Amino acid sequence: MKDDFEPTIIGFLCRWCSYAGADLAGTSRLQYPPSMLPIRVMCSSRVDPVFIITAFLRGADAVLVAGCHPGDCHYIEGNYYTRRRFACLRKIFETLGMESDRIRLSWISASEGPRFAQVVTDYTDKIKKLGPNPAKKEIFL
Amino acid sequence: MKGAILKIENSIEKTIIEFLKKGLDKKLFDVVLIPVKVPAGDSYAWVLVQDKALLEDANPLPPVMLVQGAKALSSITRRGKSNKKIAAIMRPCEIRASIELSKLQQIDLENICLISIDCPGALPLKDYLEDTKKGIDTFKKVIKEWGNESVRPICQMCDKSVGLSIQSDLHIGIFGAKNNEIYLIPSSQKGKSILEEIGIPAEESMDNWEKKTKEFVETRKKNRKKIQSTLSEKVMGLDNLLETFSNCINCHNCQSVCPICYCRQCYFESEKMKLSSDDYLIRAESKGILRFLPDTLLFHLGRMTHMSLSCVGCGACEDACPMSIKVAQIFSIVGDRSQKVFNYIPGKSIEESLPLKVYEEDEFHDVEKP
Ligand code: SF4
Ligand code: SF4
Ligand code: SF4
Ligand code: FES
């Protein structure tokens, strides 16, 4: 049963780096699983943790936030704030016993098409092993 | 540490009021922000008093916490500094919330003198309202026996209620006030000069009081761990979380009374949360069923991510919850853990930056996944 489980991963990708990286992976015809639903944001720091929780509670099997490498943010320092917020959100997930593996932060630059494909492939594998998000079945959410 | 000693006349409350009157007399401050017993009933309200005579009815340590003091202070100064000097007498958690709010630009502390007081806790609002006469009597006991269990659970686990764990201008030490005396301990220049002007410079040793408050804080810390770990087990995991909040009626009282939730427009009450019927129908279809109102857990988890780093554990949310959900206790667990990530103690110091307003280039690599 778990074998035919195809995870849905919501990807918040920053417009300047990670989304461009995804584009490059596409135009370079790199192979990676079609599990990610990309959402383009202006900067990784635009992602309010509430967006991540919303996706998670609505049944996304995982949420990826991706932005420029530290030091390369188009807005100079946006991703440093992203990282702090993410550290806080992770701690909240852990504290409340929610699977923190279902949220992930990665840096992918505009030129890293292969890396984008790799991240999606690896993360999809990992989530496949973890199984579907239990929130999907919670009716009283 | 040095402080001044005041002999208790009549009662602790009256002694503090006499002190405040002297401050008004000498124009060390122009007005006092303090709780007053509402004449019509056994309730308490924050008032700004200028008139010495009206200070008579004030109660620096009411048995319950109605409006969180930081909210009162913020409504006065959110549009800029006060042009008169205000002395604000508050419980430690109210002072700490005020400091957080000043960092969030919701309070201007320039002309404010924050006066904190050792706090024995507050009674749960519900208990108090059931029988206010009894409540007032119970509270008399509470002030005498530190650690009394009639106070709110969040107060029983509060480890910043006594001593100098906070940064006010002046602290009133009443913990273990023996020999019929209370202490005035300045922690800023403002506080120091007030004592000097009144003619009671801080020259007495406070070592004994300090030692005792520290011991008390240690037992409280243990209590906090214990209560939190028992509660943790009950709320951890999605199923338990849903169970915990299953009675929530989505009234958002917890948010609207919280001093830290200052947003004029809360995200969870904004247009963003008013979704089209299609949205709900699609969700209902994919699950087979959808509860209404939906997104209750989203509200609580979302609120945690927005404000838990500044949660001062004041218990206002829990007092305001009509469904007796242990909101403040749960938020205190999440708050403690998330604050620890940044070694941040909300309200401890005005100089310390809010954790999400600063960063270092080289940090938190453990959350970045290659
Ligand atoms: S829950 Fe968030 S958006 Fe709402 S008032 Fe609190 S901090 Fe503001
Ligand atoms: S969440 Fe509750 S305990 Fe924490 S600051 Fe707000 S009202 Fe106080
Ligand atoms: S006050 Fe209580 S019932 Fe109302 S929203 Fe908060 S937790 Fe739910
Ligand atoms: S623009 Fe890419 S992380 Fe800020």
Side-chain angles (χ1 to χ4, degrees), chain A residues 39-75:
Chain A
I39 297 177
R40 194 173 64 171
V41 288
M42 285 307 277
C43 173
S44 64
S45 64
R46 173 63 185 91
V47 182
D48 182 333
V50 168
F51 300 171
I52 302 173
I53 296 174
T54 306
F56 177 75
L57 291 180
R58 281 180 172 229
D61 298 301
V63 183
L64 169 75
V65 178
C68 319
H69 286 269
D72 292 342
C73 172
H74 190 74
Y75 307 96

Short mmCIF file of all heavy atoms in Angstrom, two decimals, chain A residues 39-75:
data_model
loop_
_atom_site.label_atom_id
_atom_site.label_comp_id
_atom_site.label_asym_id
_atom_site.label_seq_id
_atom_site.Cartn_x
_atom_site.Cartn_y
_atom_site.Cartn_z
N ILE A 39 4.94 26.88 -5.17
CA ILE A 39 4.28 28.18 -5.01
C ILE A 39 5.38 29.23 -5.00
O ILE A 39 6.32 29.14 -4.20
CB ILE A 39 3.48 28.23 -3.69
CG1 ILE A 39 2.36 27.18 -3.71
CG2 ILE A 39 2.91 29.63 -3.46
CD1 ILE A 39 1.57 27.09 -2.43
N ARG A 40 5.26 30.19 -5.91
CA ARG A 40 6.32 31.17 -6.03
C ARG A 40 6.09 32.32 -5.05
O ARG A 40 5.00 32.89 -5.01
CB ARG A 40 6.36 31.69 -7.47
CG ARG A 40 7.62 32.46 -7.76
CD ARG A 40 7.69 32.81 -9.21
NE ARG A 40 6.60 33.71 -9.58
CZ ARG A 40 6.52 34.32 -10.76
NH1 ARG A 40 7.43 34.10 -11.68
NH2 ARG A 40 5.52 35.13 -11.03
N VAL A 41 7.10 32.62 -4.29
CA VAL A 41 7.01 33.76 -3.36
C VAL A 41 8.17 34.71 -3.69
O VAL A 41 9.18 34.29 -4.25
CB VAL A 41 7.09 33.31 -1.88
CG1 VAL A 41 5.82 32.61 -1.45
CG2 VAL A 41 8.30 32.43 -1.62
N MET A 42 8.02 35.96 -3.32
CA MET A 42 9.07 36.92 -3.68
C MET A 42 10.37 36.62 -2.95
O MET A 42 11.46 36.83 -3.47
CB MET A 42 8.62 38.35 -3.39
CG MET A 42 7.61 38.88 -4.40
SD MET A 42 8.18 38.71 -6.11
CE MET A 42 9.18 40.18 -6.25
N CYS A 43 10.25 36.14 -1.70
CA CYS A 43 11.45 35.84 -0.92
C CYS A 43 11.04 34.77 0.09
O CYS A 43 9.89 34.71 0.50
CB CYS A 43 11.93 37.11 -0.20
SG CYS A 43 13.28 36.83 0.97
N SER A 44 12.00 33.94 0.49
CA SER A 44 11.64 32.90 1.46
C SER A 44 11.10 33.52 2.74
O SER A 44 10.31 32.92 3.46
CB SER A 44 12.86 32.03 1.77
OG SER A 44 13.86 32.81 2.39
N SER A 45 11.48 34.78 3.00
CA SER A 45 11.02 35.41 4.23
C SER A 45 9.56 35.87 4.12
O SER A 45 8.98 36.32 5.09
CB SER A 45 11.90 36.60 4.59
OG SER A 45 11.80 37.59 3.58
N ARG A 46 8.97 35.74 2.94
CA ARG A 46 7.56 36.07 2.78
C ARG A 46 6.68 34.97 3.40
O ARG A 46 5.49 35.16 3.62
CB ARG A 46 7.21 36.23 1.29
CG ARG A 46 5.73 36.41 0.98
CD ARG A 46 5.19 37.69 1.60
NE ARG A 46 3.75 37.85 1.43
CZ ARG A 46 2.84 37.43 2.29
NH1 ARG A 46 3.23 36.74 3.34
NH2 ARG A 46 1.57 37.65 2.08
N VAL A 47 7.28 33.83 3.68
CA VAL A 47 6.49 32.70 4.14
C VAL A 47 6.22 32.81 5.64
O VAL A 47 7.08 32.55 6.47
CB VAL A 47 7.21 31.36 3.82
CG1 VAL A 47 6.36 30.18 4.25
CG2 VAL A 47 7.51 31.29 2.32
N ASP A 48 5.03 33.22 5.97
CA ASP A 48 4.57 33.23 7.35
C ASP A 48 4.45 31.76 7.77
O ASP A 48 3.90 30.95 7.04
CB ASP A 48 3.20 33.93 7.40
CG ASP A 48 2.62 34.05 8.80
OD1 ASP A 48 2.94 33.21 9.66
OD2 ASP A 48 1.82 34.98 9.02
N PRO A 49 4.98 31.40 8.96
CA PRO A 49 4.85 30.02 9.40
C PRO A 49 3.40 29.52 9.33
O PRO A 49 3.16 28.32 9.17
CB PRO A 49 5.31 30.07 10.86
CG PRO A 49 6.18 31.27 10.97
CD PRO A 49 5.74 32.22 9.90
N VAL A 50 2.46 30.45 9.41
CA VAL A 50 1.05 30.06 9.30
C VAL A 50 0.76 29.40 7.94
O VAL A 50 -0.04 28.48 7.85
CB VAL A 50 0.13 31.28 9.54
CG1 VAL A 50 -1.30 30.98 9.14
CG2 VAL A 50 0.18 31.70 11.00
N PHE A 51 1.46 29.84 6.88
CA PHE A 51 1.26 29.20 5.57
C PHE A 51 1.66 27.72 5.65
O PHE A 51 1.01 26.85 5.10
CB PHE A 51 2.12 29.85 4.48
CG PHE A 51 1.88 31.31 4.24
CD1 PHE A 51 2.73 32.03 3.40
CD2 PHE A 51 0.81 31.98 4.82
CE1 PHE A 51 2.53 33.38 3.16
CE2 PHE A 51 0.60 33.34 4.59
CZ PHE A 51 1.47 34.04 3.76
N ILE A 52 2.77 27.49 6.33
CA ILE A 52 3.29 26.12 6.43
C ILE A 52 2.31 25.25 7.22
O ILE A 52 1.98 24.13 6.82
CB ILE A 52 4.68 26.13 7.10
CG1 ILE A 52 5.64 27.01 6.28
CG2 ILE A 52 5.22 24.72 7.25
CD1 ILE A 52 7.00 27.23 6.93
N ILE A 53 1.83 25.80 8.33
CA ILE A 53 0.88 25.05 9.15
C ILE A 53 -0.42 24.81 8.39
O ILE A 53 -1.01 23.73 8.45
CB ILE A 53 0.62 25.79 10.48
CG1 ILE A 53 1.93 25.86 11.28
CG2 ILE A 53 -0.44 25.08 11.30
CD1 ILE A 53 1.82 26.68 12.53
N THR A 54 -0.84 25.82 7.64
CA THR A 54 -2.07 25.66 6.85
C THR A 54 -1.92 24.48 5.89
O THR A 54 -2.78 23.60 5.83
CB THR A 54 -2.38 26.95 6.05
OG1 THR A 54 -2.42 28.05 6.96
CG2 THR A 54 -3.72 26.84 5.34
N ALA A 55 -0.82 24.47 5.16
CA ALA A 55 -0.59 23.38 4.20
C ALA A 55 -0.57 22.04 4.92
O ALA A 55 -1.18 21.06 4.49
CB ALA A 55 0.72 23.61 3.45
N PHE A 56 0.11 22.02 6.06
CA PHE A 56 0.25 20.79 6.81
C PHE A 56 -1.10 20.29 7.32
O PHE A 56 -1.46 19.12 7.16
CB PHE A 56 1.21 21.03 7.98
CG PHE A 56 1.40 19.86 8.88
CD1 PHE A 56 2.18 18.78 8.49
CD2 PHE A 56 0.79 19.81 10.13
CE1 PHE A 56 2.36 17.69 9.32
CE2 PHE A 56 0.96 18.73 10.97
CZ PHE A 56 1.75 17.66 10.55
N LEU A 57 -1.88 21.18 7.90
CA LEU A 57 -3.16 20.76 8.45
C LEU A 57 -4.16 20.40 7.36
O LEU A 57 -5.09 19.64 7.56
CB LEU A 57 -3.75 21.84 9.37
CG LEU A 57 -3.00 22.07 10.68
CD1 LEU A 57 -3.68 23.16 11.50
CD2 LEU A 57 -2.92 20.79 11.51
N ARG A 58 -3.97 20.97 6.17
CA ARG A 58 -4.86 20.63 5.08
C ARG A 58 -4.44 19.33 4.38
O ARG A 58 -5.02 18.94 3.38
CB ARG A 58 -4.90 21.76 4.06
CG ARG A 58 -5.80 22.88 4.52
CD ARG A 58 -5.82 23.97 3.49
NE ARG A 58 -6.80 24.97 3.81
CZ ARG A 58 -7.70 25.43 2.94
NH1 ARG A 58 -7.73 24.97 1.71
NH2 ARG A 58 -8.56 26.35 3.30
N GLY A 59 -3.41 18.73 4.91
CA GLY A 59 -3.09 17.39 4.43
C GLY A 59 -1.89 17.27 3.51
O GLY A 59 -1.62 16.20 2.98
N ALA A 60 -1.15 18.36 3.30
CA ALA A 60 0.08 18.22 2.52
C ALA A 60 0.98 17.24 3.25
O ALA A 60 1.11 17.31 4.47
CB ALA A 60 0.78 19.57 2.39
N ASP A 61 1.60 16.32 2.53
CA ASP A 61 2.45 15.34 3.20
C ASP A 61 3.74 15.96 3.68
O ASP A 61 4.37 15.45 4.60
CB ASP A 61 2.73 14.16 2.26
CG ASP A 61 1.43 13.45 1.90
OD1 ASP A 61 0.76 12.97 2.83
OD2 ASP A 61 1.07 13.42 0.71
N ALA A 62 4.12 17.06 3.05
CA ALA A 62 5.31 17.77 3.50
C ALA A 62 5.31 19.17 2.93
O ALA A 62 4.58 19.45 1.97
CB ALA A 62 6.58 17.02 3.04
N VAL A 63 6.07 20.03 3.57
CA VAL A 63 6.19 21.41 3.08
C VAL A 63 7.68 21.75 2.99
O VAL A 63 8.43 21.55 3.94
CB VAL A 63 5.51 22.42 4.04
CG1 VAL A 63 5.60 23.83 3.46
CG2 VAL A 63 4.05 22.04 4.29
N LEU A 64 8.07 22.22 1.82
CA LEU A 64 9.46 22.65 1.63
C LEU A 64 9.50 24.17 1.48
O LEU A 64 8.72 24.72 0.72
CB LEU A 64 10.04 22.00 0.37
CG LEU A 64 11.39 22.56 -0.10
CD1 LEU A 64 12.53 22.08 0.80
CD2 LEU A 64 11.68 22.15 -1.55
N VAL A 65 10.38 24.79 2.23
CA VAL A 65 10.63 26.22 2.00
C VAL A 65 12.03 26.31 1.42
O VAL A 65 12.98 25.76 1.99
CB VAL A 65 10.55 27.02 3.32
CG1 VAL A 65 10.87 28.49 3.06
CG2 VAL A 65 9.18 26.88 3.96
N ALA A 66 12.14 26.93 0.27
CA ALA A 66 13.47 27.04 -0.35
C ALA A 66 13.76 28.47 -0.76
O ALA A 66 12.88 29.18 -1.24
CB ALA A 66 13.56 26.10 -1.55
N GLY A 67 14.98 28.88 -0.54
CA GLY A 67 15.39 30.24 -0.88
C GLY A 67 16.84 30.28 -1.29
O GLY A 67 17.51 29.25 -1.39
N CYS A 68 17.31 31.49 -1.52
CA CYS A 68 18.70 31.69 -1.91
C CYS A 68 19.63 31.26 -0.78
O CYS A 68 19.25 31.29 0.38
CB CYS A 68 18.97 33.15 -2.22
SG CYS A 68 17.65 33.96 -3.14
N HIS A 69 20.85 30.93 -1.10
CA HIS A 69 21.82 30.59 -0.06
C HIS A 69 22.05 31.82 0.82
O HIS A 69 21.98 32.95 0.34
CB HIS A 69 23.15 30.16 -0.70
CG HIS A 69 23.07 28.79 -1.30
ND1 HIS A 69 23.38 27.65 -0.60
CD2 HIS A 69 22.69 28.39 -2.54
CE1 HIS A 69 23.21 26.60 -1.40
NE2 HIS A 69 22.78 27.02 -2.57
N PRO A 70 22.33 31.59 2.10
CA PRO A 70 22.60 32.72 2.99
C PRO A 70 23.68 33.61 2.38
O PRO A 70 24.69 33.13 1.88
CB PRO A 70 23.10 32.05 4.27
CG PRO A 70 22.46 30.70 4.25
CD PRO A 70 22.36 30.30 2.80
N GLY A 71 23.41 34.90 2.43
CA GLY A 71 24.35 35.84 1.82
C GLY A 71 23.93 36.23 0.42
O GLY A 71 24.35 37.26 -0.09
N ASP A 72 23.07 35.39 -0.22
CA ASP A 72 22.69 35.67 -1.60
C ASP A 72 21.26 36.16 -1.77
O ASP A 72 20.79 36.32 -2.90
CB ASP A 72 22.85 34.40 -2.46
CG ASP A 72 24.32 34.00 -2.61
OD1 ASP A 72 25.17 34.88 -2.36
OD2 ASP A 72 24.58 32.84 -2.95
N CYS A 73 20.56 36.35 -0.68
CA CYS A 73 19.15 36.76 -0.78
C CYS A 73 19.05 38.06 -1.57
O CYS A 73 19.82 39.00 -1.37
CB CYS A 73 18.55 36.93 0.60
SG CYS A 73 16.90 37.65 0.61
N HIS A 74 18.09 38.09 -2.49
CA HIS A 74 17.88 39.27 -3.32
C HIS A 74 17.60 40.50 -2.46
O HIS A 74 17.87 41.62 -2.86
CB HIS A 74 16.72 39.01 -4.27
CG HIS A 74 16.55 40.04 -5.33
ND1 HIS A 74 17.40 40.14 -6.39
CD2 HIS A 74 15.64 41.05 -5.47
CE1 HIS A 74 17.01 41.15 -7.17
NE2 HIS A 74 15.95 41.73 -6.62
N TYR A 75 17.01 40.25 -1.30
CA TYR A 75 16.71 41.35 -0.38
C TYR A 75 17.74 41.39 0.76
O TYR A 75 17.44 41.77 1.87
CB TYR A 75 15.28 41.23 0.14
CG TYR A 75 14.30 41.12 -1.00
CD1 TYR A 75 13.86 39.87 -1.44
CD2 TYR A 75 13.89 42.26 -1.68
CE1 TYR A 75 13.02 39.77 -2.53
CE2 TYR A 75 13.04 42.16 -2.78
CZ TYR A 75 12.60 40.91 -3.20
OH TYR A 75 11.79 40.81 -4.29
#
